[in-house]
């Protein structure tokens, strides 16, 4: 584009022109693109150092703004992304450090069906991941609440222990458990352990030795935790208690 020197001025007449370009523009999913079309107009600003290609500078400026915006959107957001671009490019923009002004530009965005489907799949997977994280957080919170509740009362802890393994029963250890009930009642003479004793009678008939010993260790650890090491020692001693001789007359 040639320029003529204006009459009475040492500067050549400013150049002006339009721009039209079509090219891919990135979406927020790597490897997937919008189809971007840009139309606009530009003008040169008076300067002792004029730009050699003001049209290229204006085009680059418009593309940079448009592509930076589209990179934050999914391919299903063509309307929203285009509105954002046109909001910024719908008024004059002086290009930083260059004697060129972008007067205006308008963007149009489209996306292929495959690209839109990829965006929908991404949205679904992201939703499922968020739901999974929420479920994990809820389960963790419930586990912490359960832990705090069980630690607040040994009877609740043992009730939970039996509720999670009701099938672990063995009549051979019933007498040992009855001794355990006695220790529990001595630990709480006000009767707070009575419901626990009834629960143990209900579920403990078929406990194996290993399961029973685990129960004894659990109760001993709890009583020790609650500041009764003497009772804990007595409960642990039940592990060594002799079994009744069921064959004796």
């Amino acid at each position: 584009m040639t320029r003529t020197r204006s009459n009475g001025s040492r500067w050549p007449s400013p150049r002006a022109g339009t721009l039209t370009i079509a090219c891919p523009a990135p979406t927020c999913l790597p490897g997937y693109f919008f189809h971007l079309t840009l139309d606009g107009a530009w003008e040169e600003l008076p300067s002792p150092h004029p730009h050699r290609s003001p049209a290229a500078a204006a085009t680059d400026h418009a593309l940079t703004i448009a592509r930076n915006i589209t990179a934050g959107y999914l391919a299903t957001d063509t309307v929203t992304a285009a509105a954002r671009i046109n909001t910024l490019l719908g008024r004059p923009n002086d290009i930083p450090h260059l004697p060129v002004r972008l007067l205006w530009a308008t963007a149009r965005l489209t996306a292929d069906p495959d690209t839109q489907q990829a965006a929908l799949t991404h949205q679904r997977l992201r939703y499922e991941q968020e739901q999974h994280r929420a479920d994990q957080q809820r389960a963790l919170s419930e586990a912490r609440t359960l832990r705090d509740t069980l630690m607040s009362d040994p009877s609740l802890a043992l009730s939970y222990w039996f509720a999670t393994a009701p099938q672990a029963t063995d009549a051979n250890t019933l007498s040992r458990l009855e001794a355990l009930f006695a220790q529990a009642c001595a630990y709480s003479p006000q009767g707070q352990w009575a419901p626990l004793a009834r629960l143990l009678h209900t579920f403990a008939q078929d406990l194996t030795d290993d399961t029973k010993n685990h129960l004894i260790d659990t109760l001993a650890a709890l009583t020790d935790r609650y500041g009764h090491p003497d009772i804990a020692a007595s409960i642990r001693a039940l592990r060594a208690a002799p079994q009744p001789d069921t064959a004796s007359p």
Side-chain angles (χ1 to χ4, degrees):
M1 182 180 298
T2 61
R3 296 183 293 176
T4 59
R5 188 179 300 273
S6 60
N7 294 331
S9 172
R10 59 177 180 163
W11 306 117
S13 299
R15 291 170 290 182
T18 60
L19 63 91
T20 298
I21 188 170
C23 65
T27 71
C28 65
L29 290 181
Y32 294 93
F33 297 88
F34 293 106
H35 297 295
L36 169 65
T37 301
L38 271 175
D39 295 301
W42 56 271
E43 69 177 6
E44 187 179 30
L45 302 177
S47 171
H49 305 289
H51 196 283
R52 183 176 180 85
S53 302
T59 301
D60 174 73
H61 182 68
L63 281 176
T64 298
I65 292 176
R67 288 166 64 88
N68 285 343
I69 290 173
T70 63
Y73 288 89
L74 291 167
T76 51
D77 295 326
T78 54
V79 174
T80 305
R84 178 61 179 162
I85 295 170
N86 292 332
T87 297
L88 297 183
L89 297 184
R91 60 186 180 183
N93 281 265
D94 289 349
I95 300 176
H97 313 300
L98 295 179
V100 181
R101 175 180 294 143
L102 180 67
L103 295 175
W104 60 269
T106 299
R108 294 185 299 278
L109 288 174
T110 59
D112 292 335
D114 290 346
T115 301
Q116 292 183 328
Q117 184 58 51
L120 293 173
T121 301
H122 173 77
Q123 287 178 308
R124 177 178 56 80
L125 292 176
R126 184 169 59 183
Y127 172 78
E128 292 175 353
Q129 290 172 351
E130 290 174 354
Q131 285 295 110
H132 182 63
R133 283 194 294 268
D135 291 342
Q136 286 183 320
Q137 186 61 38
R138 182 166 52 253
L140 180 60
S141 177
E142 291 173 353
R144 288 172 176 168
T145 300
L146 175 63
R147 178 201 62 189
D148 294 342
T149 301
L150 296 181
M151 289 180 64
S152 69
D153 186 344
S155 65
L156 292 176
L158 286 177
S159 299
Y160 177 76
W161 188 88
F162 272 110
T164 55
Q167 74 282 2
T169 55
D170 186 350
N172 294 333
T173 60
L174 186 57
S175 61
R176 289 186 177 181
L177 289 174
E178 288 176 346
L180 182 61
F181 305 156
Q183 291 289 342
C185 292
Y187 172 68
S188 181
Q190 290 78 19
Q192 296 176 5
W193 283 79
L196 172 62
R198 287 195 297 272
L199 180 68
L200 293 175
H201 274 296
T202 301
F203 289 103
Q205 296 181 2
D206 298 326
L207 283 175
T208 64
D209 286 346
D210 288 342
T211 304
K212 178 271 307 175
N213 286 335
H214 174 65
L215 176 60
I216 290 175
D217 291 340
T218 300
L219 181 57
L222 287 169
T223 54
D224 199 9
R225 184 193 302 269
Y226 287 102
H228 295 275
D230 52 337
I231 296 177
S234 298
I235 293 174
R236 289 190 178 98
L238 293 175
R239 291 175 59 96
Q243 289 280 2
D245 186 1
T246 55
S248 300

